[in-house]
Amino acid sequence: MRNVAELASELIRIPSISRDAEGMRAVQRRVTDEILKSIPAASVRTGGGELPWTLISLGGTGPAPLFACHTDTVPVAPAGAWDRDPFGGATTDGVLHGRGSVDMKGGLAAATTALIRAGLSGSHGHLLMTADEEIGARGAKCATPEILSLDLTGIIIPEATELTVHCAHRGATWYRFAATGHAAHGSTPHLGENAVERLATALLTWKPAQSLTSEATLGMETLNIGTFRGGSAPNIVPDHAEATIDFRTVSTSPAHQRIKGLPDDIAVSVDLDLAPLRTDSQNPFVQNLPSQVSEDPVAYFTDGSEITAARPDLPIVIWGPGEPGQMHSVNEQIPVSSLIEAEELFFAHLTGPRPY
């Protein structure tokens, strides 16, 4: 069995950027092979096609926890800005470097090695690996039906929290706004209708007028204009423009009810709509975890939004190694000591008493 740092390094060396189905599948196969090498009787289910998923269950009966880990990463661009090969998985001075070391191949490796050790000691648990979390938890939606029949105590998502347990995050709705115009030569703009100007004016009027909601646990909602595209050449009046808006929400109301005050000539569609995640920090599953529990939500979203929709009966926590500020960063890195500590804590939970 590989130690946790060795396995994490191997996973980093398998590029698996979002939408790379073969890369994500390769990561899932490597983890599966590692588990089967030590526990040949482990149950393995796979599926998903272009959104590959793998569900592994290690023996035993009765309720057990499930680790939910995504296997995609964000891109490395600009690759030239990295001090080391982002897919090299190098370890220097006790630090593991590379894309995914924190988000979240380090957490996946820690969950895997802890599960193997727990399985060898007679305990049991489950591991769900998903695809395309980074672009909207898209793989979790097709994977979560596989866990409907599992007897679970709770779900652990080992994203970076510096091993503090968190129980909540805001939802995310991604809107696409579009405007149409009429093309004309850039020297005679009065003969056209400028879609870029139309959309920009609408957004700059609409955004500051929105009434954002605050919630005691999840905090304040936010709006961000993430992308804006329009026009094909400087000397053409653009006849189309579109923008995407990232709305981090605390409400579970339907997406169409959250958009108000846009002009009628601006088309609106929804690219993504993820619900907030909330677990009661006093839940016995949470209180039994061998780490400090924080009442603060994490800033990012996770597969937990889709998983809680499938299993609203279960407590879900975000609890994993690494510093959140390293997520998506150039020169992403994680201390090996954090991986080792995560493995030990996960193993302690898997093998410890379950009074709930």
Side-chain angles (χ1 to χ4, degrees), residues 118-129:
L120 292 173
S121 70
S123 297
H124 61 292
H126 309 271
L127 172 64
L128 176 67
M129 292 180 280

Side-chain angles (χ1 to χ4, degrees), residues 241-326:
E242 64 180 38
T244 54
I245 285 77
D246 182 350
F247 185 12
R248 298 300 169 107
T249 64
V250 302
S251 170
T252 57
S253 61
H256 69 273
Q257 295 181 5
R258 304 185 200 128
I259 293 295
K260 299 176 181 178
L262 274 173
D264 292 339
D265 59 356
I266 304 298
V268 181
S269 58
V270 177
D271 284 353
L272 174 75
D273 194 24
L274 296 176
L277 173 67
R278 296 181 182 88
T279 291
D280 183 355
S281 64
Q282 299 305 307
N283 184 285
F285 173 81
V286 178
Q287 290 297 309
N288 195 51
L289 296 172
S291 284
Q292 179 182 355
V293 178
S294 172
E295 297 293 336
D296 296 330
V298 296
Y300 45 83
F301 64 72
T302 72
D303 279 342
S305 289
E306 292 291 357
I307 295 172
T308 196
R311 292 294 304 262
D313 57 308
L314 292 174
I316 301 174
V317 299
I318 306 101
W319 178 41
E323 199 276 309
Q326 286 291 321

Side-chain angles (χ1 to χ4, degrees), residues 116-349:
I116 292 172
R117 289 175 55 199
L120 292 173
S121 70
S123 297
H124 61 292
H126 309 271
L127 172 64
L128 176 67
M129 292 180 280
T130 65
D132 282 1
E133 185 268 355
E134 297 289 3
I135 53 175
R138 299 181 191 276
K141 189 168 187 176
C142 70
T144 48
E146 300 302 314
I147 69 172
L148 293 179
S149 62
L150 296 181
D151 188 3
L152 300 176
T153 57
I155 293 174
I156 297 165
I157 301 175
E159 296 275 16
T161 66
E162 296 185 290
L163 291 170
T164 295
V165 177
H166 292 261
C167 302
H169 60 66
R170 292 175 298 173
T173 303
W174 293 350
Y175 294 98
R176 186 181 302 274
F177 293 175
T180 57
H182 179 71
H185 197 283
S187 65
T188 55
H190 59 285
L191 299 179
E193 295 178 7
N194 193 307
V196 167
E197 293 181 0
R198 175 175 292 171
L199 182 57
T201 299
L203 285 176
L204 291 174
T205 301
W206 168 82
K207 184 173 180 283
Q210 297 311 294
S211 177
L212 300 179
T213 300
S214 180
E215 197 258 3
T217 299
L218 298 175
M220 177 65 72
E221 294 180 324
T222 58
L223 277 172
N224 177 59
I225 301 173
T227 67
F228 195 108
R229 300 181 181 91
S232 57
N235 58 345
I236 300 175
V237 175
D239 62 1
H240 182 79
E242 64 180 38
T244 54
I245 285 77
D246 182 350
F247 185 12
R248 298 300 169 107
T249 64
V250 302
S251 170
T252 57
S253 61
H256 69 273
Q257 295 181 5
R258 304 185 200 128
I259 293 295
K260 299 176 181 178
L262 274 173
D264 292 339
D265 59 356
I266 304 298
V268 181
S269 58
V270 177
D271 284 353
L272 174 75
D273 194 24
L274 296 176
L277 173 67
R278 296 181 182 88
T279 291
D280 183 355
S281 64
Q282 299 305 307
N283 184 285
F285 173 81
V286 178
Q287 290 297 309
N288 195 51
L289 296 172
S291 284
Q292 179 182 355
V293 178
S294 172
E295 297 293 336
D296 296 330
V298 296
Y300 45 83
F301 64 72
T302 72
D303 279 342
S305 289
E306 292 291 357
I307 295 172
T308 196
R311 292 294 304 262
D313 57 308
L314 292 174
I316 301 174
V317 299
I318 306 101
W319 178 41
E323 199 276 309
Q326 286 291 321
M327 301 169 78
H328 303 184
S329 68
V330 172
N331 295 324
E332 183 181 349
Q333 58 187 263
I334 188 169
V336 171
S337 60
S338 182
L339 296 176
I340 295 171
E341 184 179 5
E343 178 190 341
E344 293 301 325
L345 290 171
F346 294 165
F347 175 75
H349 178 63

